[in-house]
Structure formats: structure tokens, C-alpha cells
Amino acid sequence: MNYYIFTFGCQMNVSDSLWLDQALQALGLKPCSREEEADIFLINTCSVREKPEQKIYSLLGRLYEYTREKPHVFAGVGGCVAQQVGRRFLERFSFVRLVFGTDGLVMVPEAIKRLLKDRHLKTSLLDFQDHYPERKGYQPEKAPVQAFVNIMQGCDNFCAYCIVPYTRGRQKSRSSREILQECAGLVARGCREITLLGQNVNSFGQDKEGRDIPFSELLRSVAALPGLERLRFTTSHPKDIDEEVIQAFGELPALCPHLHLPLQSGSDQVLSSMGRKYNSDDYLRIVEKLRSSCPDISLTTDLIVGFPGETDADFENTMDIVKKVGFDSSFSFKYSDRPGVRAADMQPKIDDETKTERLARLQQLQSELTRDRLAGRVGRQELVLVEGRSKKQGPPDTVSWTGRDPGGRLVHVHLPVERDCTGEVLRVTIVRAHKHSLSGEVI
């Protein structure tokens, strides 16, 4: 039986899908590169914003057409939209036979086995667990060059706009012992870069049910693994980042000089309405400390425009703080109501025309900042971890590769020979800045 996995949303969903892919192969199922070859469709969904949710319904409508020629074909819907919509997927789409939430992912392989034995069975895995649902037993023989390791699930912050606590549940930290074992195993099999994942990694270990080691200690333990060259983590909440984590950027050679630190808004009034529990001055103090600890740190962020009640002055405050920080890049979005969150009942709503105009101005500013930040890298020497072939064309008789520098910037390298450079670390001189990336020459 062949399967095809669709993945929407955040990096945690990508990580979940990679694990599910390994688990299904361990059952003897085969991944396919074209959806028309699949007998099983698995859709890992996102409900952070409205558009990804709408895509799921459209996708299921399209996939249903495959059942006309292959009646045995069925689908499973998982992730945040599945947690939110639940068994209604089973009722609305006859060929959907499995619905699983974020904590139910670990039980999907066994559920698939049951579904293959009983063609009439439908099942749902939607209950939240009171502990981190550990995933064991499915690891590739050779680790990828870069790997993502989940360290926690869920969130306790309940920001006014965010549906994550309702779709991923309350915060559950994974055992530090299990995390270190997984990371050590990845490094032993050739992994050179690890990214630690969580909804709010800074609060790792501070769960309601107990306390593990603090996140700063976990960082130091993973960074100390022999053979690990690069360590990253995402995502951080500004209210929880502590001095020990900030100092780690200046003290741990393996910890990459890059931090994604969501700002969301530069207006104290909007931040308060959002329930973010910090203000703009708090955020700027964190930035100052980070740059004192690690002057070359690359900072990226998330921004929301058009939150209920956001005035023109509030938006200008966001523009001002974006200029002050000088982010290397940012993800910015128009606010949209999500069902069940506090902001859905907040007034006044901002009309779409205003949100669109504000977003365009913000993204134009970020484009200028990104251009200037990238231009400032020209002439520098960087170590680039090659991720694969590049789509950017180089000079004749060269092969183009792409990778990232320690700050997370995309770098293209053109080499005169045809060889697989994936996983190599190349020392390059940056010779050109593009709109969103850099080009370098091997030294």
C-alpha cells in the first residue's frame, strides 16, 4: 500500500510528518512521490490562520475524486484543524476514516493497521494526554544532516489571538533524558545540526505537573554532545527568555547566532490586549542584551497587523520598533478571528482594506531592512552547511548548491565540479547579496 502525506503550517507539523513517514515505512507501507499513486492520504493540518484551514476542505474535495477509480482509497486528517473540527470530518467526507489530534499522532501507525484490516472501520484519536506522548521505535538508519527534535507540546500562555492551547493542549515538556538520548543518537548517525522545537521553548520544564531542568541547562547539555556542530531552537516567547539563555549565545560555540523572537506588535496597548505580558521597552531590553552577548546575532520575528482596536498610532509604533531592532527578516500577517479565542469577541474590528494597506507598508519596510542586512554581509567569510541543490543558476559549467550560514541566512555556492556536496560545511566568501539570499565563493 502506498501513502502520501500533505503537511501544512509550522515547523512542528513538518517534524511530526517526518516522524509519521518513518513510522509508516516501518509498517511496510511505501511513500509515493505522486498523489495519484496513493492508497492512503494523510493530511497534517494547521489552524493558526484562516486560509490554511480552508485549504483542507478544498484538498479533501479534490482527493475524493480518486475514490471513483479506487474505492479502497481513504484519508486521515490530523493536526490542529483535526483537533478543532474533530469527528465532523468523518461525517462530512465518507472516505475520511481517521481523525487524529496532536497528542494522538503517536497512535496513528497502529490505527492505520486496524483500518487496513477492517475496511468499514472509522476512528478518532482526539484526547489530550496529561504528559508528553513519547514517540519511540522509528528512526532512520542514517540521520539527516539537519534534524528537528521536539522538546515539548502545547502552550499555557493563552494569547488572545492564538488557538494553539486549544488545539495542541496545555504545555507538556518532554523528559530531558529522552531528548538527550535522541539528540545523541542523531549525532552518532551523522547529524550535524539539530533544532529544538516547542511552542515556547523558554518555558521548558516548567509544567504544571512537575519541573525538569531549565531550558538553559538543556541547551548546554545538547551543545556539549561530541560531534554536534550546530544547535538552534524555536520558538521563544519574550516574557520567558532568561539571562542564562541570553548568555548562552555568547558562550556556546555550537549555538548558532540566530534567534526567532516573536514581537507581534510594537504597541504597548495592543500587546496588553493580546495578553503578551511584556511591553515594547521589555522587548528592546532583551534585544540589547542579546546583542551585547552576541554582537553578530541574527534576529527574526513574527508580526500581526490589524489586531482588534489597533489604531494608526499603534501601527506606527510597530513600524518604529521594527526599524529600531532592524530584523533580518520577519513573518507578518493580517489578523483573522479564530474560533474560541478571546480576540474573536474583541472590538473594534479593523477593516480588511486598512489591514492590507498596513501589511503592505510593513512588508516594504522589512524588505528594505533585509536588503540592507544582507548587503552588510558581503565580503565576510562564512561557514555554510550545504542543504542541497540550488535553483539559482550559476556561471556555465558549474553546479549550484544552497545552504545556510550560522545566522540562518540562505547562501548559494557555485562549484565547477559535479559532486554531491549535501552535508558538507564550506568556507565561503560572500560576494553578492540578493533580495532574500546571498551568494558566496568557496575559499
Side-chain angles (χ1 to χ4, degrees):
M1 300 287 281
N2 299 330
Y3 65 88
Y4 192 98
I5 300 176
F6 297 88
T7 304
F8 296 86
C10 67
Q11 190 57 62
M12 291 197 72
N13 273 13
V14 174
S15 177
D16 289 346
S17 291
L18 288 172
W19 178 87
L20 185 57
D21 182 50
Q22 297 168 22
L24 295 180
Q25 290 186 56
L27 292 181
L29 303 179
K30 297 180 180 179
C32 53
S33 57
R34 298 192 303 171
E35 64 181 56
E36 58 266 30
E37 299 173 349
D39 305 291
I40 304 170
F41 296 109
L42 293 170
I43 307 170
N44 198 356
T45 65
C46 171
S47 63
V48 170
R49 290 176 298 280
E50 186 175 8
K51 191 174 181 180
E53 183 177 334
Q54 294 173 339
K55 287 181 179 179
I56 306 307
Y57 296 110
S58 176
L59 175 60
L60 285 170
R62 179 169 62 79
L63 295 180
Y64 176 74
E65 296 300 314
Y66 290 115
T67 66
R68 300 186 187 279
E69 295 184 5
K70 299 191 294 184
H72 67 279
V73 166
F74 70 90
V77 183
C80 292
V81 177
Q83 192 75 58
Q84 179 182 337
V85 176
R87 292 187 61 86
R88 293 199 299 275
F89 275 119
L90 303 178
E91 299 162 1
R92 180 172 176 177
F93 298 94
S94 60
F95 79 117
V96 174
R97 297 176 54 205
L98 172 64
V99 178
F100 57 98
T102 50
D103 280 7
L105 177 73
V106 69
M107 296 177 281
V108 168
E110 289 300 316
I112 293 288
K113 287 169 63 175
R114 296 196 303 271
L115 293 171
L116 290 174
K117 290 180 180 179
D118 184 349
R119 295 294 174 88
H120 301 288
L121 179 65
K122 289 192 172 188
T123 189
S124 59
L125 307 169
L126 298 169
D127 291 339
F128 285 123
Q129 300 185 36
D130 59 4
H131 61 281
Y132 182 91
E134 191 64 47
R135 308 166 191 175
K136 292 180 179 291
Y138 304 115
Q139 291 186 346
E141 293 183 3
K142 182 179 180 181
V145 175
Q146 298 161 297
F148 298 92
V149 175
N150 286 1
I151 68 169
M152 63 194 306
Q153 176 79 287
C155 183
D156 287 344
N157 287 314
F158 289 92
C159 297
Y161 55 83
C162 187
I163 202 169
V164 166
Y166 306 98
T167 58
R168 286 189 175 269
R170 302 298 296 269
Q171 175 176 311
K172 300 179 288 289
S173 296
R174 189 180 179 191
S175 159
S176 58
R177 179 176 58 84
E178 296 284 354
I179 295 168
L180 288 169
Q181 286 182 352
E182 180 176 353
C183 290
L186 287 165
V187 174
R189 297 195 306 279
C191 183
R192 308 186 78 162
E193 177 180 299
I194 287 175
T195 300
L196 305 178
L197 293 178
Q199 264 76 37
N200 178 17
V201 292
N202 296 328
S203 63
F204 170 83
Q206 302 174 27
D207 299 5
K208 180 180 178 181
E209 300 299 325
R211 186 177 181 90
D212 203 318
I213 62 175
F215 180 59
S216 58
E217 187 174 335
L218 179 67
L219 272 180
R220 293 181 183 279
S221 297
V222 177
L225 291 173
L228 179 64
E229 297 184 26
R230 291 184 175 184
L231 176 61
R232 304 182 189 274
F233 61 87
T234 196
T235 292
S236 292
H237 195 300
K239 77 176 181 65
D240 292 319
I241 192 166
D242 60 27
E243 296 289 340
E244 288 75 16
V245 172
I246 291 173
Q247 291 303 313
F249 280 102
E251 297 171 356
L252 302 180
L255 184 59
C256 291
H258 169 239
L259 178 63
H260 188 75
L261 191 66
L263 170 63
Q264 306 302 4
S265 175
S267 161
D268 291 347
Q269 179 270 323
V270 173
L271 288 171
S272 178
S273 296
M274 289 178 168
R276 292 291 287 172
K277 299 181 177 65
Y278 58 85
N279 60 34
S280 57
D281 286 342
D282 295 332
Y283 191 94
L284 289 173
R285 279 193 291 270
I286 294 169
V287 170
E288 183 180 3
K289 291 177 180 179
L290 285 164
R291 287 182 168 154
S292 176
S293 175
C294 181
D296 197 37
I297 194 167
S298 168
L299 296 175
T300 57
T301 197
D302 294 335
L303 298 160
I304 297 172
V305 302
F307 188 79
E310 182 188 69
T311 65
D312 289 341
D314 291 327
F315 175 70
E316 293 303 331
N317 286 336
T318 296
M319 295 285 281
D320 287 344
I321 198 171
V322 168
K323 293 174 188 175
K324 287 178 181 178
V325 175
F327 295 106
D328 280 54
S329 65
S330 63
F331 297 98
S332 52
F333 313 96
K334 293 187 290 186
Y335 169 81
S336 63
D337 285 337
R338 308 310 301 131
V341 302
R342 286 188 291 117
D345 296 325
M346 290 182 177
Q347 298 292 336
K349 302 296 185 190
I350 310 302
D351 65 88
D352 193 64
E353 182 179 356
T354 299
K355 289 192 288 188
T356 299
E357 185 272 335
R358 289 175 181 173
L359 182 63
R361 286 185 56 203
L362 178 59
Q363 292 183 340
Q364 177 59 37
L365 171 61
Q366 183 60 67
S367 294
E368 295 168 1
L369 293 171
T370 299
R371 179 198 61 202
D372 293 344
R373 299 287 293 181
L374 290 174
R377 311 303 294 184
V378 175
R380 297 175 60 108
Q381 292 187 8
E382 300 284 5
L383 294 176
V384 176
L385 177 59
V386 179
E387 298 176 356
R389 294 288 290 267
S390 170
K391 295 180 180 179
K392 186 172 287 292
Q393 295 296 318
D397 301 321
T398 65
V399 178
S400 299
W401 298 88
T402 188
R404 295 188 185 272
D405 69 5
R409 306 171 191 88
L410 200 63
V411 182
H412 308 282
V413 182
H414 312 298
L415 297 177
V417 292
E418 177 70 64
R419 64 185 177 89
D420 189 352
C421 297
T422 303
E424 293 187 24
V425 176
L426 305 177
R427 182 177 293 277
V428 307
T429 298
I430 303 300
V431 297
R432 190 173 297 107
H434 308 289
K435 186 176 182 180
H436 299 295
S437 61
L438 300 163
S439 286
E441 293 180 350
V442 176
I443 298 174

